[in-house]
Amino acid sequence: MATISAEALDSIFKAYDVRGTVPDQLDADVVERVGAAFARFARDEAEAGRHGPADRVLVAHDMRPSGPAFAEAFARGVISQGLDVIHMGLASTDLLFWAAGHFDAPGAMLTASHNPAQYNGIKLCLAGARPVGIETGLARIKQDTLTGLPERDRKGSITSVDALPAFAEHVHSFVDVAGLKPLKIVADAANGMGGLIAPAVFSGLPFELEVLYGELDGTFPNHPADPIQPENLRDLQARVVETGADVGLAFDGDADRVFLVDDQGQPLSGSLTTAIVAAAILEKHPGSTILYNLICSKAVPEIIRERGGKPVRTRVGHSFIKQVMAETGAAFGGEHSGHYYFRDNYRADSGIIAALVVLEVLSHAGEPLSSLRVPYERYADSGEINTRVRDAAAVIDRVAEHFAGAAQDRLDGLTVDLGDWWFNLRPSNTEPLLRLNLEARDRPSCDRHVEEVRALIAAADDATKGA
């Protein structure tokens, strides 16, 4: 194998996964090395008793052009370390993570999620869908990828499995299928894995499903597979209104996230969907602990308490959510970014499960989603606003000083609560950006305070020039 530099790996190993452009940052050789390093790590963790058996590894890929070759390369790395491979072929990330729980085996998903077409990557988990991040194994995998590992005398084998039918049954288990009502659904798959998963899961249910851009095409010929960006919802919004659909579903590239659009073509925020799903979970599991990340609306913990649940605030990111779920036994966790985690899904997130839970709520509501949503929406929010800065930590410190008299915490970035309004300022993990999320009582107040905080950020950034 060709040599690889530490600098090259620094560019692709992120906090939660491996991700880079193909082929200059990520190619089959690197992927094979990562496969070998992951196999060794998973086996050592199993032998140390820290998770279930690791005699086999699940491997799946999304619809990106490099996916099949990368999955084969990863499998070669795994079998070089004496472990077997169960090849799942095309899959969504939530299908792969469910399978890691169902089969009690480590897994690797070849995907770059919502990133543009030139990217690919690898999401990893241990048996039971336990997350693997930079602090929970990814740093070691990175080091072993750099140094390379010798092949073992015994090579593993590769077999194939189609797990989608069993996954569809699992998704159905979260609702009372007999109580579902005929609903018209438009799902925008953005040429991603939702085009495979949504029809399979909704098959046999009393829904009329229309799929927009359902052809699997990792070049994303219609629009980016990133539904958190409002411009990527426009085709779905228009189609929902045009056809009189009850709801629209927008999936990201690997289909583990979903954003909803109501019958009037208006999007639901991740916070709003978190609140609706949390209320539904609490009906079935009264008194449960429910997690929400600190970017979510204040309405989320309010609604959880009103419905008899116990809200717990967490940092942003799946590894933190899953850890707190394990510690608290939480039944559900939601993030503003469209990730929804379920205890009965091995604490992994799933967009299609969240979507089906909302469809069950809608089946029993006797009113359209545009009306059902109203009691859950109590504040105005800014959405995520990104600003490029020279020194994110220094800017955050200066903004914190300005609000020294207000309630603050540093759980994840800086959160400042001024009663009628609050904001969070977080640095990006991958870019010199600050991410601002702000919420206030009403739209004029929200807009005014956004300008206030943005002006402070700009002034603080200017002050770092001479620092």
Side-chain angles (χ1 to χ4, degrees):
M1 288 186 178
T3 58
I4 186 169
S5 69
E7 292 75 16
L9 292 186
D10 286 342
S11 68
I12 62 173
F13 273 76
K14 312 297 184 182
Y16 310 121
D17 60 12
V18 177
R19 203 173 299 197
T21 53
V22 178
D24 53 317
Q25 291 182 315
L26 195 63
D27 61 18
D29 180 52
V30 174
V31 171
E32 183 173 344
R33 287 171 177 254
V34 176
F38 177 63
R40 176 72 66 88
F41 167 72
R43 190 187 68 224
D44 289 352
E45 288 290 292
E47 289 176 352
R50 286 188 282 268
H51 75 89
D55 55 348
R56 54 187 179 165
V57 173
L58 301 160
V59 178
H61 62 88
D62 70 12
M63 66 291 135
R64 292 170 186 270
S66 57
F70 278 11
E72 290 178 8
F74 194 95
R76 285 197 301 272
V78 171
I79 65 172
S80 77
Q81 299 304 303
L83 275 65
D84 297 332
V85 166
I86 300 177
H87 200 315
M88 295 173 56
L90 284 163
S92 62
T93 292
D94 55 352
L95 168 53
L96 182 280
F97 275 50
W98 165 79
H102 180 72
F103 293 108
D104 198 26
M109 178 70 194
L110 280 298
T111 181
S113 186
H114 62 278
N115 280 52
Q118 66 268 30
Y119 284 82
N120 209 335
I122 313 167
K123 294 182 178 181
L124 301 167
C125 66
L126 293 173
R130 294 171 180 84
V132 175
I134 204 68
E135 297 177 356
T136 52
L138 204 54
R140 176 189 157 178
I141 294 166
K142 177 181 176 182
Q143 182 58 42
D144 284 347
T145 300
L146 176 65
T147 57
L149 294 171
E151 292 190 6
R152 294 173 68 89
D153 292 337
R154 175 204 174 271
K155 281 195 173 185
S157 63
I158 301 176
T159 56
S160 299
V161 66
D162 178 11
L164 182 53
F167 177 65
E169 288 185 19
H170 168 69
V171 175
H172 294 173
S173 72
F174 285 82
V175 302
D176 175 14
V177 171
L180 297 175
K181 300 294 196 301
L183 296 171
K184 182 172 177 56
I185 304 164
V186 180
D188 185 343
N191 299 107
M193 293 311 304
L196 177 69
I197 302 302
V201 169
F202 292 149
S203 176
L205 302 181
F207 301 141
E208 179 186 342
L209 175 67
E210 176 184 346
V211 180
L212 282 181
Y213 312 134
E215 305 83 8
L216 303 184
D217 187 344
T219 67
F220 307 115
N222 293 288
H223 64 73
D226 187 6
I228 200 170
Q229 303 301 330
E231 61 269 20
N232 295 328
L233 296 177
R234 288 173 185 156
D235 291 354
L236 177 61
Q237 292 171 277
R239 189 61 181 164
V240 166
V241 173
E242 180 185 351
T243 62
D246 295 291
V247 64
L249 307 175
F251 294 96
D252 68 344
D254 59 339
D256 61 349
R257 287 190 299 148
V258 70
F259 279 85
L260 276 68
V261 169
D262 72 17
D263 53 290
Q264 299 298 313
Q266 296 304 305
L268 280 69
S269 70
S271 288
L272 177 53
T273 301
T274 293
I276 293 172
V277 175
I281 294 293
L282 286 167
E283 278 194 20
K284 296 182 178 181
H285 305 281
S288 292
T289 296
I290 306 291
L291 310 185
Y292 66 100
N293 79 16
L294 52 76
I295 307 298
C296 285
S297 169
K298 276 189 174 181
V300 174
E302 289 175 2
I303 289 161
I304 293 168
R305 290 190 189 96
E306 289 167 8
R307 303 302 175 95
K310 302 169 185 174
V312 174
R313 179 172 171 264
T314 76
R315 294 179 64 180
V316 174
H318 75 96
S319 62
F320 303 114
I321 294 271
K322 291 171 182 174
Q323 179 182 342
V324 178
M325 287 192 86
E327 293 168 353
T328 63
F332 171 69
E335 295 199 86
H336 71 294
S337 54
H339 288 284
Y340 310 105
Y341 306 80
F342 298 86
R343 179 184 59 204
D344 297 334
N345 188 50
Y346 305 101
R347 297 189 290 272
D349 53 321
S350 173
I352 197 73
I353 292 175
L356 189 57
V357 170
V358 174
L359 292 170
E360 182 183 37
V361 171
L362 203 52
S363 292
H364 297 301
E367 60 179 335
L369 185 54
S370 55
S371 299
L372 184 150
R373 67 186 288 175
V374 173
Y376 296 91
E377 292 186 286
R378 303 177 179 185
Y379 307 100
D381 71 88
S382 66
E384 192 160 86
I385 301 170
N386 292 319
T387 305
R388 189 168 293 273
V389 297
R390 297 171 186 83
D391 187 336
V395 171
I396 287 175
D397 286 343
R398 288 180 180 271
V399 173
E401 288 173 11
H402 181 85
F403 292 102
Q408 299 185 11
D409 71 62
R410 296 290 188 110
L411 176 63
D412 194 349
L414 169 70
T415 300
V416 179
D417 193 333
L418 296 109
D420 285 344
W421 66 286
W422 66 273
F423 70 89
N424 175 268
L425 201 56
R426 298 170 53 246
S428 165
N429 284 322
T430 57
E431 302 174 89
L433 297 175
L434 276 180
R435 307 193 191 281
L436 170 65
N437 286 269
L438 187 148
E439 185 175 64
R441 289 287 179 186
D442 51 49
R443 178 54 54 194
S445 298
C446 181
D447 293 343
R448 184 173 69 254
H449 291 308
V450 164
E451 291 309 310
E452 175 186 349
V453 177
R454 292 187 74 180
L456 288 170
I457 293 170
D461 189 37
D462 287 341
T464 66
K465 286 181 181 178

